[in-house]
Amino acid sequence: MNFTAPFQSITWNQNHLTIIDQTFLPEREVYIDLNTSGQVWEAIKKLRVRGAPAIGIAGAYGLCLGMEQLPDSSFQSFYRESERIAEYLNSSRPTAVNLSWALNRILTSIFAEKDRPVTQLKKVALETAITIHDEDRRLCKTIGENGLDLVSDNAQILTHCNTGGLATGEYGTAFSVILHAHQAGKLKKVWVDETRPLLQGARLTTWELQKAEIPFTLNIDSAAAFLMQQGKVDMVITGADRITRNGDTANKIGTYHLAVLANAHNIPFYVAAPYSTIDMELATGKEIVIEERDEDEVTHFGNKRTAPKKVDVYNPAFDITPHKLITAIITEKGIVRPDYEKNFKSLFS
Amino acid sequence: MNFTAPFQSITWNQNHLTIIDQTFLPEREVYIDLNTSGQVWEAIKKLRVRGAPAIGIAGAYGLCLGMEQLPDSSFQSFYRESERIAEYLNSSRPTAVNLSWALNRILTSIFAEKDRPVTQLKKVALETAITIHDEDRRLCKTIGENGLDLVSDNAQILTHCNTGGLATGEYGTAFSVILHAHQAGKLKKVWVDETRPLLQGARLTTWELQKAEIPFTLNIDSAAAFLMQQGKVDMVITGADRITRNGDTANKIGTYHLAVLANAHNIPFYVAAPYSTIDMELATGKEIVIEERDEDEVTHFGNKRTAPKKVDVYNPAFDITPHKLITAIITEKGIVRPDYEKNFKSLFS
């Protein structure tokens, strides 16, 4: 299905990077140019660009911008300096796996061509960055196309957090299914969980839906059950941060809650994620360590305190949805249904 | 069980009312004196006092303060002026049933004594206001005592919204069960849903728990499922705004979501509410009209916009929990279990 994505969150413009500065969203749509690796570092650090795939893509281009400033020296000297820049960029979000993966991929690509002059290696690096970006675009598009088969006519889809073009190279993951369903005329509307504590649904997903002119309604997270009770939700789609080989899925806190509610209301619950999200090294979700985030995300709003001082807070970043509650997992390689372990293995072979 | 409540949200001090100004919570504990019906009107209007029973009690005292200013005229003139004050006070929160109920009860009590001089009628009104307050205190205490039987040793209780002494004459409803469980040494800890959109859990319930020195942890609403999955919740207790004769319960949005989640995790789900909350005129929850509140509650935080302009928002004040998901309803007249219709009838007879 061919259509233009409603915006580009990251664009390479010949010799510099242009990104939407997400810290201004949803109030203002501000694009900024990044000309140095230092500016890319700052943009990632300050969450001007966010979302694991988007961070990886921005970091890859950031490394190219850094290399551009290096002199035409020997390979060893050039590579050592490039590693230093990659390490520096990686320090902007050390826990983002996509970032270190993308930076390493750039380094690997120049190492493989180490006999060529440095001027050419800079081009190799940029080609790799553009490839990383294009691959992510393509896989997001394919996820959307694959997911389309699961969407019934006139569907009301509920989604959580932000999984759109802001967080990826383009289109998004769960959001790509929504975009494609809309393009295909199958979508009635989207229900958007605001997604506490950081409100990515209220701030970002709504903005993306407005850009794409897709009808939607925003709701607080705990109203999802009531919507389902009223028959207003035909399917739930979320993204995934990590999927273990039995299909257990780690994703934004509140995902498991939706899976339980969908199950109780006989509504299909889908996960949309790139194939690379599936970690065949992990047997079950029990092996995933849950990151707990800063209490301030719950006790404050901006600088305004909303809970008493010295309260104890539980603020997990993710939860684990057991595979039994997941109707199917949508990847760029196709739709995977239970038994996940068996079907992942045939996908991987 | 005898113990002192950790604070008094409303106190009658000989000739004036003292309340906690809830608009300063949780940051500061400020008590203000109200000397006129106009000040009580303003306190209700500006949410300095909130919670249906607390509003009724404050309104009742407010009417007495207004009567105190009236001249010692004929009964008819005194009654007409009193009705005018009651109407004025009722306009501060016209949808609060407890407010109009309490104001009418004061008027009824003086009408019943219409042959007595006005100076004495003022005393009758005050006695009625004190009775309304005392009755609410007693019923809240009894709800807590009755609910105690349902609490297992070393229990972790999850609750939603604010149902404590701030919202009632003293002790609260669901909160009273928590207070009594703590006093009885049966409570391990409380999980507090922050309760979007207005954060009554984060702002008020946490404050009350701190005052009572009860151990607790604050969580976002959509983390409740994950807590249950981890075996950290032994029971859920919420309040109720209205209960129909089959046991269906209207309460703060997010209550139904907890009931579904508790059911899916085999955790008992209890509702604690005064007997007067049960409306035998209504057959099922389908007859309850759901109030939708202002979109700004979801799209703004204070004056700060958190969603794009022109977003469509679904912001129901309440949801309906079907009786099948409710393990028992705790009232001051005892614990009611299914079949609710049958058991309510024997309670009412």
Side-chain angles (χ1 to χ4, degrees), chain B residues 16-306:
Chain B
H16 68 274
L17 198 58
T18 304
I19 64 163
I20 293 183
D21 186 338
Q22 297 190 36
T23 61
F24 287 101
L25 292 178
E27 297 204 77
R28 287 168 57 206
E29 183 176 346
V30 175
Y31 290 84
I32 56 172
D33 289 340
L34 306 175
N35 295 292
T36 67
S37 56
Q39 287 173 345
V40 173
W41 184 92
E42 194 266 0
I44 296 171
K45 182 80 182 173
K46 297 280 174 68
L47 307 179
R48 300 187 198 287
V49 55
R50 51 149 286 289
I55 288 170
I57 294 160
Y61 286 123
L63 181 50
C64 297
L65 288 168
M67 286 175 178
E68 206 50 56
Q69 306 298 315
L70 296 177
D72 293 344
S73 57
S74 70
F75 173 78
Q76 281 188 332
S77 163
F78 176 73
Y79 190 79
R80 201 168 47 240
E81 285 302 301
S82 297
E83 276 187 317
R84 198 189 47 76
I85 299 166
E87 209 172 297
Y88 162 71
L89 282 164
N90 198 47
S91 72
S92 62
R93 281 293 286 277
T95 57
V97 179
N98 292 55
L99 178 56
S100 62
W101 169 84
L103 295 167
N104 283 331
R105 186 161 159 190
I106 302 274
L107 291 176
T108 306
S109 73
I110 61 169
F111 195 85
E113 306 280 341
K114 62 183 168 190
D115 296 331
R116 293 166 68 179
V118 162
T119 46
Q120 287 191 26
L121 293 182
K122 292 176 180 177
K123 282 179 192 154
V124 168
L126 184 58
E127 278 160 21
T128 308
I130 290 168
T131 300
I132 289 170
H133 193 175
D134 281 347
E135 282 176 2
D136 194 64
R137 273 197 184 105
R138 268 204 306 279
L139 79 84
C140 284
K141 189 148 190 10
T142 310
I143 286 171
E145 288 165 351
N146 290 345
L148 192 53
D149 290 343
L150 301 172
V151 181
S152 56
D153 281 342
N154 209 29
Q156 299 194 61
I157 301 180
L158 187 141
T159 192
H160 195 68
C161 202
N162 176 254
T163 61
L166 288 170
T168 60
E170 201 174 344
Y171 308 106
T173 53
F175 197 92
S176 182
V177 179
I178 290 169
L179 264 180
H180 281 79
H182 175 66
Q183 287 294 325
K186 292 175 92 174
L187 189 65
K188 183 175 176 188
K189 75 181 287 183
V190 181
W191 292 99
V192 182
D193 270 2
E194 64 171 2
T195 316
R196 283 283 291 158
L198 294 182
L199 300 174
Q200 292 94 336
R203 292 187 296 110
L204 305 175
T205 302
T206 55
W207 182 86
E208 291 204 37
L209 288 164
Q210 277 189 340
K211 287 295 281 187
E213 298 180 7
I214 296 175
F216 70 92
T217 301
L218 174 65
N219 58 269
I220 61 166
D221 303 324
S222 76
F226 193 41
L227 290 171
M228 293 178 187
Q229 187 193 40
Q230 295 171 74
K232 292 179 178 171
V233 178
D234 299 306
M235 61 191 288
V236 177
I237 317 183
T238 74
D241 282 274
R242 209 160 177 192
I243 300 171
T244 62
R245 71 168 178 264
N246 71 341
D248 292 353
T249 295
N251 191 45
K252 179 67 60 201
I253 183 72
T255 302
Y256 170 62
H257 124 111
L258 285 177
V260 174
L261 296 175
N263 191 256
H265 293 86
N266 292 312
I267 295 167
F269 178 86
Y270 300 109
V271 168
Y275 174 73
S276 60
T277 311
I278 302 160
D279 187 344
M280 294 300 280
E281 302 292 311
L282 296 179
T284 75
K286 289 194 180 120
E287 296 178 29
I288 298 175
V289 178
I290 299 295
E291 173 198 353
E292 290 195 34
R293 294 179 56 87
D294 197 342
E295 300 196 344
D296 288 3
E297 291 182 358
V298 179
T299 58
H300 285 69
F301 200 95
N303 295 322
K304 169 84 180 153
R305 172 174 282 280
T306 54

